[in-house]
Coordinates of all heavy atoms in Angstrom, one line a residue:
A1100 N 128.6 97.5 101.1 CA 128.6 96.3 100.3 C 128.2 95.1 101.0 O 127.4 94.3 100.5 CB 130.0 96.2 99.7
L1101 N 128.7 95.0 102.3 CA 128.3 93.8 103.1 C 126.8 93.8 103.4 O 126.1 92.8 103.3 CB 129.1 93.8 104.4 CG 130.6 93.4 104.3 CD1 131.3 93.7 105.6 CD2 130.7 91.9 103.9
K1102 N 126.3 95.0 103.7 CA 124.8 95.1 104.0 C 124.0 94.8 102.8 O 122.9 94.2 102.9 CB 124.5 96.4 104.6 CG 125.0 96.6 106.0 CD 124.5 97.8 106.7 CE 125.4 99.0 106.4 NZ 125.0 100.2 107.2
S1103 N 124.5 95.2 101.6 CA 123.8 94.8 100.3 C 123.7 93.3 100.2 O 122.7 92.8 99.8 CB 124.5 95.5 99.1 OG 124.4 96.9 99.2
G1104 N 124.8 92.6 100.5 CA 124.9 91.2 100.4 C 123.9 90.5 101.4 O 123.2 89.6 101.1
F1105 N 123.9 91.0 102.6 CA 123.1 90.5 103.7 C 121.6 90.7 103.3 O 120.8 89.8 103.5 CB 123.4 91.1 105.0 CG 124.8 90.9 105.5 CD1 125.3 91.7 106.5 CD2 125.6 89.9 105.0 CE1 126.6 91.5 107.0 CE2 126.9 89.7 105.4 CZ 127.4 90.5 106.5
N1106 N 121.3 91.9 102.8 CA 119.9 92.2 102.5 C 119.4 91.3 101.4 O 118.3 90.8 101.4 CB 119.8 93.6 102.1 CG 118.3 94.1 101.9 OD1 117.6 94.1 102.8 ND2 118.0 94.3 100.6
Y1107 N 120.3 91.0 100.4 CA 119.9 90.1 99.3 C 119.6 88.7 99.8 O 118.6 88.1 99.4 CB 121.0 90.0 98.3 CG 120.8 89.1 97.2 CD1 120.0 89.5 96.0 CD2 121.2 87.8 97.2 CE1 119.8 88.6 95.0 CE2 121.0 86.9 96.2 CZ 120.2 87.3 95.1 OH 120.0 86.4 94.1
I1108 N 120.4 88.3 100.8 CA 120.2 86.9 101.4 C 118.8 86.9 102.1 O 118.1 85.9 102.0 CB 121.3 86.5 102.3 CG1 122.6 86.4 101.5 CG2 121.0 85.3 103.1 CD1 123.9 86.3 102.3
L1109 N 118.6 87.9 102.9 CA 117.3 88.0 103.7 C 116.1 88.0 102.8 O 115.0 87.6 103.3 CB 117.3 89.2 104.6 CG 118.3 89.1 105.8 CD1 118.4 90.5 106.5 CD2 117.9 88.0 106.8
T1110 N 116.2 88.5 101.6 CA 115.0 88.5 100.7 C 115.0 87.2 99.8 O 114.0 87.1 99.0 CB 115.1 89.7 99.7 OG1 116.3 89.7 99.0 CG2 115.1 91.0 100.5
D1111 N 115.9 86.3 100.0 CA 116.0 85.1 99.2 C 115.1 84.0 99.9 O 115.5 83.7 101.1 CB 117.4 84.6 99.0 CG 117.5 83.4 98.2 OD1 116.5 82.8 97.7 OD2 118.7 82.9 97.9
P1112 N 114.1 83.5 99.3 CA 113.3 82.5 100.0 C 114.0 81.2 100.3 O 113.6 80.4 101.1 CB 112.1 82.2 99.0 CG 112.7 82.7 97.7 CD 113.6 83.8 98.0
N1113 N 115.2 81.0 99.6 CA 116.0 79.8 99.8 C 117.0 79.9 100.9 O 117.8 79.0 101.2 CB 116.6 79.3 98.5 CG 115.6 79.0 97.5 OD1 114.6 78.3 97.7 ND2 115.9 79.4 96.2
A1114 N 117.1 81.1 101.6 CA 118.1 81.4 102.5 C 118.1 80.4 103.7 O 119.1 80.1 104.3 CB 118.0 82.8 103.0
S1115 N 116.9 80.0 104.1 CA 116.7 79.1 105.2 C 117.4 77.7 105.0 O 117.5 76.9 105.9 CB 115.2 78.9 105.5 OG 114.6 78.3 104.4
D1116 N 117.8 77.4 103.7 CA 118.5 76.2 103.5 C 119.9 76.2 104.0 O 120.6 75.2 104.0 CB 118.5 75.9 102.0 CG 117.1 75.7 101.4 OD1 116.2 75.3 102.2 OD2 116.9 75.8 100.2
Y1117 N 120.4 77.4 104.3 CA 121.8 77.6 104.8 C 121.9 77.9 106.2 O 120.9 78.5 106.8 CB 122.4 78.7 103.9 CG 122.6 78.4 102.5 CD1 121.5 78.7 101.6 CD2 123.7 77.8 102.0 CE1 121.6 78.4 100.2 CE2 123.8 77.5 100.6 CZ 122.7 77.8 99.8 OH 122.8 77.5 98.4
S1118 N 123.0 77.5 106.9 CA 123.1 77.8 108.3 C 123.7 79.2 108.6 O 123.5 79.7 109.6 CB 124.1 76.7 108.9 OG 125.3 76.7 108.3
G1119 N 124.5 79.7 107.6 CA 125.1 81.0 107.9 C 125.8 81.6 106.7 O 125.8 81.0 105.5
V1120 N 126.5 82.7 106.9 CA 127.2 83.4 105.9 C 128.6 83.6 106.3 O 128.9 83.8 107.5 CB 126.5 84.8 105.7 CG1 127.4 85.7 104.7 CG2 125.1 84.7 105.2
I1121 N 129.5 83.5 105.3 CA 130.9 83.7 105.6 C 131.3 84.9 104.7 O 131.2 84.9 103.5 CB 131.8 82.5 105.3 CG1 131.5 81.4 106.2 CG2 133.3 82.9 105.4 CD1 132.3 80.1 105.9
T1122 N 131.8 86.0 105.4 CA 132.3 87.2 104.7 C 133.8 87.0 104.4 O 134.5 86.6 105.2 CB 132.1 88.5 105.4 OG1 132.8 88.4 106.7 CG2 130.6 88.6 105.8
V1123 N 134.2 87.3 103.1 CA 135.5 87.1 102.7 C 136.0 88.3 102.0 O 135.3 88.9 101.2 CB 135.6 85.9 101.7 CG1 137.0 85.7 101.2 CG2 135.1 84.6 102.3
D1124 N 137.2 88.8 102.3 CA 137.8 90.0 101.6 C 138.2 89.6 100.2 O 138.6 88.4 99.9 CB 139.0 90.5 102.4 CG 138.6 91.2 103.7 OD1 137.4 91.4 103.9 OD2 139.5 91.5 104.5

């Protein structure tokens, strides 16, 4: 599930607008 989220972000052209990701349970 985490990797699905990360992969989605990496394919998002707007991802560079963000500094990072916070994973939350």
Side-chain angles (χ1 to χ4, degrees):
L1101 286 170
K1102 286 189 276 189
S1103 292
F1105 298 163
N1106 186 68
Y1107 177 84
I1108 293 168
L1109 288 171
T1110 59
D1111 183 356
N1113 298 317
S1115 59
D1116 295 339
Y1117 295 88
S1118 60
V1120 174
I1121 296 178
T1122 63
V1123 181
D1124 289 349

